[in-house]
Amino acid sequence: MTDVAVIGAGMAGLVCAQQLKQAGYSVLVVEKSRGLGGRVATRRLFNTCADHGTCYLKPKGELLERFIEVLLQHHILEVWTQTVHELKPHSSVPTPESSVPKPRYTAPVGISAIAKFLAPGLDILLNQRVTAITPTPEKKWRLAMDASNEEITATSVVIAIPSPQALMLLEPLGENILGATFLNNLRSVEFSPCLSAIAGYPSTLKPPIDWKAVTFIEDEHLAWIGLDSSKRSKPQQPVFVLQSSAAFAQHHEQTQDLKPAGEFMLDRAAESLQMSWLKTPEWIQVHRWRYAFPTRPLQATYLAADTAVPLICCGDWCGGNFVEGAMLSGIAAAEATNNSLRHLTLPKLSFLEVFNSSI
């Protein structure tokens, strides 16, 4: 039994949960994965790690700028590079995207450290997928999970996962409970997918490159490549992360074994950059992000169902703008949840200042 159940431990869910926890509500976060952060993700493998979702933070908007300042103060982040290069069509030489330095920040221990920074004090269930949400006669929500026989009863629910996943969870409730407008708004949001390939190379290799990250312009198959191991203080070996174009990921939407797709991405990068050694990694792993980027986000910062028992959706698909959008959506969802419950006093200072002072 809890005041608020938050489904999803990405940036929106964690920010929302912290705001409500700071105000005095009992909050339980339920996450289907084994780690925190959603697409702010780090994979640990072969005695190293790689950021295979969000690769860095770039100051964009007041909230994200302040958040980065807090993370710098706590030595979570540091500057990774001042320049991201571009590879334009019919060229093999990456060039700086701008003559003006624009710092990109990352975490030496893995970018998921950002999410872990937001988690202290929260009750979080990992490896627990919510399979059904149903109203109870007592005007509560009951959440069933696939990993246990236990159920959660909550006075309010915040769903902080991609809208297609939220729709799969909520559609069985139907229009009679949630309303046609709410469900249609969920259906209207669109995402593009992405494949992320992580490739490791011999420790003796010194990559002959003068860049840390390259964006592929108008490439049919590739979107980005980064020397991820350059983020680490003592890298064990060179590790590159490649991200595919949306079209290439869509082409492999039903592909079960993604390793050949990742190898194709390496071949394509090797040819485009004229670096043949990229084709022969020691190891490679590929991850599919079905909901990588909201291409048609909702314009509002959150989506609330017109129900007697509060149910609110949030995420980077509410307003868009990636990490900052997710954080702003989480804050807005917390405010809306509070207004539907006991009208407690949410932190008068920004959530960042309150949380920073509590560390």
Side-chain angles (χ1 to χ4, degrees):
M1 184 69 185
T2 187
D3 290 330
V4 185
V6 177
I7 302 175
M11 296 298 290
L14 291 173
V15 167
C16 178
Q18 278 291 359
Q19 280 287 83
L20 294 169
K21 179 81 173 181
Q22 296 273 355
Y25 290 103
S26 61
V27 182
L28 180 62
V29 182
V30 186
E31 169 57 47
K32 66 179 178 62
S33 303
R34 61 185 179 184
L36 307 175
R39 291 191 299 281
V40 181
T42 302
R43 178 166 289 190
R44 306 190 184 279
L45 68 177
F46 297 101
N47 296 317
T48 187
C49 66
D51 301 327
H52 63 299
T54 300
C55 296
Y56 56 78
L57 291 187
K58 178 181 177 181
K60 187 176 182 181
E62 181 182 356
L63 178 64
L64 189 54
E65 288 178 359
R66 294 174 65 193
F67 187 42
I68 288 173
E69 288 177 3
V70 171
L71 294 171
L72 288 170
Q73 291 169 9
H74 288 271
H75 308 289
I76 305 295
L77 292 185
E78 63 181 34
V79 175
W80 175 41
T81 181
Q82 297 280 357
T83 303
V84 169
H85 286 64
E86 293 180 338
L87 186 67
K88 297 179 180 178
H90 313 298
S91 174
S92 61
V93 180
T95 57
E97 65 176 8
S98 172
S99 59
V100 180
K102 297 178 181 178
R104 271 73 167 184
Y105 298 89
T106 193
V109 298
I111 204 162
S112 61
I114 297 171
K116 294 174 183 177
F117 180 78
L118 295 173
L122 293 178
D123 293 323
I124 302 175
L125 293 178
L126 297 175
N127 291 310
Q128 297 278 357
R129 183 190 297 271
V130 177
T131 57
I133 300 177
T134 54
T136 72
E138 297 79 23
K139 293 186 177 181
K140 308 283 186 182
W141 291 112
R142 180 175 293 118
L143 282 62
M145 296 175 290
D146 64 354
S148 69
N149 294 324
E150 296 182 3
E151 293 182 334
I152 298 169
T153 302
T155 306
S156 178
V157 170
V158 175
I159 302 177
I161 58 180
S163 56
Q165 294 176 334
L167 185 63
M168 287 187 284
L169 188 60
L170 295 175
E171 213 163 22
L173 291 173
E175 295 181 1
N176 289 338
I177 294 178
L178 297 176
T181 301
F182 175 87
L183 290 173
N184 287 335
N185 279 328
L186 265 185
R187 296 185 186 108
S188 72
V189 179
E190 296 178 0
F191 283 81
S192 65
C194 177
L195 299 182
S196 288
I198 311 168
Y201 294 82
S203 58
T204 54
L205 175 67
K206 305 298 181 184
I209 56 177
D210 58 1
W211 47 262
K212 291 184 178 179
V214 174
T215 301
F216 293 87
I217 306 299
E218 298 178 11
D219 190 286
E220 181 182 358
H221 306 102
L222 297 176
W224 191 86
I225 183 173
L227 180 57
D228 194 86
S229 53
S230 64
K231 303 173 182 178
R232 316 301 161 211
S233 57
K234 295 180 180 180
Q236 300 298 308
Q237 62 182 136
V239 176
F240 285 83
V241 171
L242 294 86
Q243 294 180 342
S244 77
S245 67
F248 185 75
Q250 288 167 349
H251 178 74
H252 288 279
E253 185 176 7
Q254 302 302 322
T255 301
Q256 296 299 313
D257 181 9
L258 290 173
K259 185 178 179 181
E263 292 171 341
F264 178 88
M265 291 166 61
L266 283 179
D267 289 349
R268 173 69 185 180
E271 294 169 3
S272 299
L273 295 166
Q274 294 188 355
M275 298 188 307
S276 59
W277 49 269
L278 270 177
K279 298 182 179 182
T280 54
E282 284 189 333
W283 51 263
I284 182 173
Q285 286 198 8
V286 187
H287 181 82
R288 187 201 317 273
W289 296 102
R290 292 191 183 277
Y291 312 111
F293 307 106
T295 55
R296 187 182 176 187
L298 202 69
Q299 296 305 306
T301 53
Y302 67 92
L303 180 62
D306 186 16
T307 53
V309 189
L311 188 147
I312 293 169
C313 296
C314 64
D316 64 355
W317 52 273
C318 294
N321 200 13
F322 305 109
V323 172
E324 185 180 68
M327 295 175 68
L328 290 171
S329 182
I331 292 171
E335 293 174 350
T337 300
N338 182 47
N339 290 338
S340 298
L341 294 177
R342 302 202 299 271
H343 296 274
L344 300 181
T345 302
L346 291 174
K348 292 182 179 180
L349 301 174
S350 75
F351 117 89
L352 288 178
E353 291 171 339
V354 170
F355 188 67
N356 186 32
S357 66
S358 69
I359 294 298

